[in-house]
């Protein structure tokens, strides 16, 4: 393919991936998701990158899956190929580093689901979220009924999935889907600034913290607390823990070695 479907750049310790199908509002298909998977894995292996930011355009993070690509497929077409499985799920199966979704404009259907696969979402003031698959005679298939319910609760998820309506950034933040709303102006620069702040912490500790928060969704409170405590104990094997606490006591900035 002539166009580069996912643009990858690195600023300091932050890897920035940009979905690049502007003519179709970054609609998701196998090609762009395979490209995204490859770029994510490359950044995961890059020891100089500590945090990843995923974004789209000012108009659309991703306006959904590519309907024209799947319009005529049969049940056996999607079942035998495990459509939207495999490399579509690289974000959750293979990436240990924190991933931030920087959402400007539309994040609908598969686009909303892709944003929810990231570890947290920062939204521009013009962001809109939704799962409008009901209008197409189908349902969300990349986590829209599952991650959305965990993020915003059953009532709000039912409302969005069964009506297909969109919610704006303010509603998404109040519902718990979005971590912060940032101004449209210089939106991506502000997200990268936040990511850079994270990236200057200890990389192994960032990954440990991410793992513990994610475990909270899959375990009982008792199991989660026990897991958290063991990981907390494990940080005492790190040089960065010694450096961080020494720097605090000595009233200086820490110099983490990511070890």
């Amino acid at each position: 393919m002539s166009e580069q479907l996912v643009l990858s750049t690195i600023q300091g310790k932050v890897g920035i991936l940009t979905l690049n199908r502007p003519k179709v509002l970054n609609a998701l298909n196998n090609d762009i998701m395979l490209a995204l998977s490859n770029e994510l894995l490359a950044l995961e292996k890059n020891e100089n990158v500590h945090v990843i930011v995923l974004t789209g355009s000012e108009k659309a993070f991703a306006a959904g899956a590519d309907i024209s690509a799947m319009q005529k497929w049969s049940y056996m077409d999607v079942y035998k190929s495990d459509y939207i499985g495999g490399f579509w799920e690289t974000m959750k199966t293979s990436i240990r580093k924190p991933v931030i979704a920087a959402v400007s404009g539309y994040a609908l259907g598969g686009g909303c689901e892709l944003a929810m696969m990231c570890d947290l979402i920062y939204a521009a003031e013009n962001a809109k979220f939704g799962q409008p698959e009901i209008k197409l005679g189908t349902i969300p298939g990349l986590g829209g009924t599952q991650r959305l319910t965990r993020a915003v609760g059953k009532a709000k998820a039912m409302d969005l999935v069964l009506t297909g309506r969109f919610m704006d950034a303010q509603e998404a933040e109040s519902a718990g889907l979005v971590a912060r709303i940032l101004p449209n102006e210089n939106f991506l620069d502000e997200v990268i600034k936040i990511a850079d702040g994270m990236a200057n912490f200890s990389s192994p500790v960032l990954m440990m913290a991410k793992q513990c928060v994610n475990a909270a969704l899959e375990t009982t409170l008792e199991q989660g607390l026990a897991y958290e405590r063991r990981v907390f104990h494990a940080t005492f094997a790190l040089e960065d823990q010694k450096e961080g606490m020494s720097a605090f006591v000595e009233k200086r900035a820490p110099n983490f070695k990511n070890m």
Side-chain angles (χ1 to χ4, degrees):
M1 297 184 66
S2 57
E3 69 175 336
Q4 192 172 348
L5 296 175
V6 178
L7 308 178
S8 179
T9 59
I10 296 174
Q11 292 187 29
K13 298 176 183 177
V14 179
I16 304 153
L17 299 179
T18 305
L19 303 176
N20 187 39
R21 295 187 74 202
K23 294 180 180 178
V24 290
L25 300 180
N26 294 327
L28 306 179
N29 61 13
N30 278 331
D31 292 328
I32 194 171
M33 291 304 293
L34 180 57
L36 177 60
S37 175
N38 291 336
E39 296 294 350
L40 283 167
L41 292 172
L43 292 177
E44 177 72 11
K45 292 176 183 177
N46 187 333
E47 293 187 0
N48 295 319
V49 172
H50 294 182
V51 176
I52 300 168
V53 172
L54 176 62
T55 192
S57 66
E58 290 184 14
K59 191 172 183 179
F61 175 78
D66 192 338
I67 306 305
S68 62
M70 68 177 93
Q71 176 187 3
K72 296 182 180 179
W73 290 347
S74 68
Y75 168 72
M76 289 310 298
D77 290 330
V78 294
Y79 179 74
K80 289 174 70 175
S81 67
D82 191 26
Y83 181 59
I84 65 176
F87 56 79
W88 284 68
E89 297 182 305
T90 296
M91 183 87 72
K92 298 309 294 183
T93 60
S94 305
I95 308 303
R96 300 172 69 197
K97 298 173 181 179
V99 183
I100 298 169
V103 175
S104 180
Y106 296 110
L108 307 176
C112 185
E113 291 169 308
L114 179 60
M116 289 191 291
M117 291 174 76
C118 299
D119 296 303
L120 69 164
I121 301 171
Y122 293 133
E125 294 167 319
N126 70 336
K128 294 188 184 301
F129 300 86
Q131 298 293 160
E133 289 87 348
I134 197 78
K135 298 178 181 180
L136 303 175
T138 188
I139 67 168
L142 194 62
T145 66
Q146 302 301 303
R147 292 190 179 97
L148 185 63
T149 304
R150 285 165 170 78
V152 305
K154 177 183 174 182
K156 185 74 73 174
M158 282 287 192
D159 180 37
L160 291 165
V161 171
L162 298 185
T163 68
R165 74 174 182 88
F166 303 164
M167 63 179 175
D168 62 19
Q170 288 72 28
E171 183 182 359
E173 183 188 35
S174 65
L177 180 63
V178 166
R180 300 190 211 176
I181 301 172
L182 300 170
N184 291 333
E185 186 177 1
N186 300 320
F187 168 66
L188 184 57
D189 290 339
E190 290 301 312
V191 174
I192 293 170
K193 187 184 298 184
I194 296 168
D196 184 65
M198 291 182 193
N200 283 298
F201 297 129
S202 168
S203 181
V205 175
L206 283 171
M207 291 189 284
M208 288 175 173
K210 165 179 170 170
Q211 193 170 3
C212 285
V213 174
N214 284 334
L217 297 175
E218 307 295 338
T219 61
T220 65
L221 178 59
E222 184 177 0
Q223 291 168 332
L225 289 169
Y227 180 71
E228 176 191 72
R229 190 170 302 115
R230 293 297 172 258
V231 177
F232 166 70
H233 291 165
T235 65
F236 282 72
L238 297 173
E239 292 182 17
D240 285 344
Q241 175 268 335
K242 303 295 183 292
E243 168 61 14
M245 293 192 177
S246 295
F248 178 83
V249 170
E250 295 165 14
K251 296 181 168 54
R252 60 174 175 83
N255 182 22
F256 294 123
K257 302 292 186 182
N258 306 305
M259 298 175 63

